[in-house]
Amino acid sequence: KMLGHDNYGTFNPDEIMTTCVSDLNQKKVLYSLIESFFETGQFKKVRKIYIMLIKKGYLVNKYFIYFFVSFLPIKCINILRKIIWG
């Protein structure tokens, strides 16, 4: 019995960045991307998604901390990760 007929190898994570927010209709996906990109140190993508959400009129105060912290030096970010996110 063969399993795993998927196309995970062809998935391009950068492709999600070109997807229009109004087409997604799933803010939770974008919020998850902000958290994921933050955890993996892709701070430019964190800022890009946050700004995209703001331009579309979504109130994302909860994620402002990710946006703000993404501008700090990596040493400060690591300290804040330990304090705030455990």
Side-chain angles (χ1 to χ4, degrees):
K1 185 175 181 181
M2 298 230 6
L3 299 175
H5 290 10
D6 52 41
N7 294 322
Y8 288 128
T10 61
F11 175 72
N12 181 3
D14 292 326
E15 197 173 291
I16 194 76
M17 298 300 291
T18 59
T19 304
C20 182
V21 175
S22 61
D23 292 339
L24 279 176
N25 290 330
Q26 294 183 359
K27 293 183 288 185
K28 289 183 181 181
V29 172
L30 293 174
Y31 297 156
S32 295
L33 281 173
I34 287 174
E35 292 174 2
S36 298
F37 287 145
F38 186 85
E39 285 295 320
T40 59
Q42 299 179 51
F43 303 118
K44 284 185 179 181
K45 290 182 181 181
V46 169
R47 294 188 290 264
K48 189 172 183 177
I49 292 175
Y50 186 85
I51 290 169
M52 184 187 337
L53 288 168
I54 293 296
K55 285 181 179 179
K56 292 295 181 179
Y58 294 118
L59 185 62
V60 288
N61 290 337
K62 177 181 174 185
Y63 291 89
F64 177 75
I65 188 76
Y66 290 100
F67 178 75
F68 176 74
V69 170
S70 71
F71 288 101
L72 297 175
I74 193 70
K75 287 183 179 183
C76 293
I77 291 172
N78 288 334
I79 291 169
L80 286 173
R81 278 183 178 158
K82 289 177 184 176
I83 294 171
I84 297 173
W85 292 284

